[in-house]
Amino acid sequence: MSFHSDLIILGGGCAGLSLGMNLSKFGEHTPKTTILEGRTHYTNDRTWCFWGGFGSDSEEFVTHRWESFSITTSKARVTRHCKETPYLMVSSQDFYQTAQRLISESPRIDLKRGNLITGEIFKRKGLWHVSTPLGEYSAPWIVDTRPGSSPLVHSSPASNPMLWQSFLGEEITTEGDLFDPGCVELMDFSGSLPETILFLYVLPFSKREALVEATVFGPRPLSAEELAEPLKSLTKNRLQGLHALSGRSEHGILPMGTMRNTGQMKQPAEDLGNDPSYVHAGLMAGGARPSSGYAFQRIWKWSQACAMALATGKPPRPHPHDHPLTRAMDALFLRVLSSNQELAPDLFLSLFAKVKPARVARFMNDQGTLSDCAAIMASLPPTPFLLELATAAGLPLGKRKSHVP
């Protein structure tokens, strides 16, 4: 069977469903849309967090909020209050349920679950063609949000991310009070893993319930199996002798580096190059902030802009380029982390201890001002950054030795 629509969204995850929800708001102006998702049903497989307080309507999905956070290293623990820009959490289970409900209410959008793509996607006579076991779908526009289809996955080694963020998390319930339900443990550098940056991330839901995650910044993505032992070790240390029951778990990888929409789709009928009617979007295509991996807010903002373009008859939009200053700061910070993993605890401690939380939140939310950027740069020790700049410029420095003054 053949099915035709105005738009095909490949992948019904965070990016695909966000775009579907925002398209549904345009009523009769919503382009006829088909969302193709391989899963037959949704599970609570992700937790997304971001800094709030900026008036985004994405905050309607929030299930937990915290007004303080902590950073812990072997040298010190810093706790900062962030009532003005609280740390917010979105449960994927609630997000998926809301998205499916809103999309089902639009007669112009059809979410097709359990629909795996088979064969090659190609363009012929102005229409993209996508084959699935249930039939062939065609449309003049495609937004591809599948992580495995991104140019990032198929890029050359020279264009790979500087670092990958990998995490394995588990919800636990302890036998006694342990957590401060009002304070996120943002980074606890109490463990180590060779040639990586390892820390524990804790989202407390009550004094006895929390999501604990082993997070690694490293040169390659790590599997759940590779992260199992670090998570076990970090959790054991955090439990301080208390017994805990384990609940659901989640695993993910995030690129830490700026990637652009540069992938080439195979087009046997026509050689169209980088066709603007086929857009990659989502986590692996610019949806994640390079220096932090935060993605939910960026994806939501992109989905609003992309939906507006499509509803007014324009081609789909890819994720926008970051501001040049932000891009430069992120790239330099990632190069320093990549070359000096041992400095990471002190760098993050210095950043969060010296800079007002609202400034950090604005910067993380792509709303940083020049003074915010200046404050962040001033909070960090200059030596490793100057050395990295000199190395990038090809200056002969001899053998490098990393240190924080």
Side-chain angles (χ1 to χ4, degrees):
M1 295 183 66
S2 297
F3 306 91
H4 179 74
S5 56
D6 301 316
L7 168 70
I8 297 173
I9 300 174
L10 301 180
C14 180
L17 293 179
S18 292
L19 181 54
M21 279 189 283
N22 279 300
L23 282 170
S24 72
K25 299 174 182 177
F26 288 93
E28 62 181 16
H29 298 292
T30 298
K32 186 178 179 182
T33 302
T34 301
I35 305 174
L36 299 179
E37 167 57 39
R39 287 172 285 189
T40 57
H41 64 281
Y42 289 95
T43 60
N44 192 18
D45 61 350
R46 286 288 182 273
T47 300
W48 299 296
C49 289
F50 59 95
W51 303 93
F54 299 96
S56 170
D57 57 359
S58 65
E59 294 190 18
E60 67 185 70
F61 301 110
V62 170
T63 52
H64 288 277
R65 59 186 291 135
W66 296 269
E67 295 184 356
S68 63
F69 64 89
S70 66
I71 308 290
T72 303
T73 71
S74 60
K75 299 178 181 179
R77 173 186 170 93
V78 171
T79 299
R80 302 300 305 268
H81 298 288
C82 56
K83 185 176 181 179
E84 181 183 345
T85 54
Y87 198 69
L88 307 177
M89 187 196 99
V90 174
S91 162
S92 63
Q93 183 176 41
D94 296 330
F95 176 82
Y96 293 148
Q97 289 176 352
T98 300
Q100 290 180 90
R101 175 179 57 81
L102 293 175
I103 289 171
S104 68
E105 292 172 357
S106 172
R108 304 283 296 168
I109 306 176
D110 193 8
L111 171 60
K112 299 284 190 180
R113 293 186 297 272
N115 225 344
L116 296 173
I117 296 168
T118 59
E120 185 177 277
I121 299 171
F122 64 93
K123 189 173 187 179
R124 183 174 59 233
K125 295 182 179 179
L127 293 178
W128 292 99
H129 295 264
V130 181
S131 297
T132 77
L134 300 181
E136 183 175 282
Y137 295 84
S138 63
W141 294 328
I142 284 184
V143 175
D144 193 342
T145 69
R146 300 169 300 159
S149 72
S150 168
L152 174 61
V153 179
H154 305 290
S155 59
S156 65
S159 61
N160 282 341
M162 286 175 250
L163 289 171
W164 284 92
Q165 180 179 157
S166 307
F167 62 87
L168 177 65
E170 185 176 61
E171 289 186 355
I172 62 173
T173 302
T174 62
E175 63 182 358
D177 293 351
L178 179 64
F179 306 108
D180 177 355
C183 181
V184 170
E185 298 174 30
L186 202 60
M187 306 177 99
D188 182 348
F189 295 95
S190 58
S192 63
L193 191 65
E195 299 181 1
T196 71
I197 299 164
L198 171 68
F199 59 89
L200 182 68
Y201 173 60
V202 180
L203 299 178
F205 308 133
S206 71
K207 292 181 179 180
R208 300 189 181 194
E209 298 172 301
L211 172 65
V212 294
E213 286 189 356
T215 303
V216 172
F217 297 168
R220 64 179 181 86
L222 301 181
S223 66
E225 291 73 23
E226 291 175 294
L227 291 168
E229 188 56 38
L231 175 61
K232 180 180 178 181
S233 176
L234 289 170
T235 302
K236 181 180 179 180
N237 181 64
R238 183 64 184 86
L239 287 174
Q240 302 173 9
L242 289 176
H243 177 70
L245 297 176
S246 299
R248 74 169 189 91
S249 62
E250 60 181 66
H251 168 258
I253 59 172
L254 307 169
M256 300 184 73
T258 303
M259 299 301 298
R260 291 294 106 208
N261 186 17
T262 57
Q264 299 292 321
M265 297 301 299
K266 294 182 179 178
Q267 300 164 16
E270 303 176 49
D271 182 13
L272 298 179
N274 191 21
D275 193 323
S277 67
Y278 193 117
V279 167
H280 289 275
L283 189 63
M284 297 289 186
R289 176 67 183 268
S291 62
S292 66
Y294 284 112
F296 186 82
Q297 274 284 66
R298 285 167 66 98
I299 288 173
W300 183 256
K301 291 177 184 177
W302 158 79
S303 71
Q304 290 177 312
C306 189
M308 174 65 75
L310 288 162
T312 54
K314 299 174 184 176
R317 291 187 177 182
H319 289 279
H321 289 271
D322 291 319
H323 188 279
L325 178 57
T326 300
R327 198 159 62 241
M329 289 179 66
D330 280 1
L332 178 58
F333 189 65
L334 289 173
R335 285 201 295 268
V336 170
L337 289 181
S338 182
S339 302
N340 309 271
Q341 295 98 332
E342 73 283 359
L343 299 185
D346 290 327
L347 292 177
F348 282 107
L349 185 70
S350 181
L351 169 64
F352 285 103
K354 296 179 180 179
V355 181
K356 293 180 180 180
R359 287 190 182 277
V360 176
R362 284 195 294 269
F363 185 74
M364 293 291 188
N365 271 26
D366 303 322
Q367 298 184 41
T369 64
L370 284 176
S371 62
D372 293 334
C373 294
I376 288 170
M377 288 188 285
S379 73
L380 299 169
T383 302
F385 293 89
L386 291 174
L387 286 173
E388 198 60 49
L389 285 173
T391 300
L395 299 180
L397 297 175
K399 186 176 180 179
R400 296 170 59 187
K401 182 177 180 181
S402 303
H403 68 280
V404 175

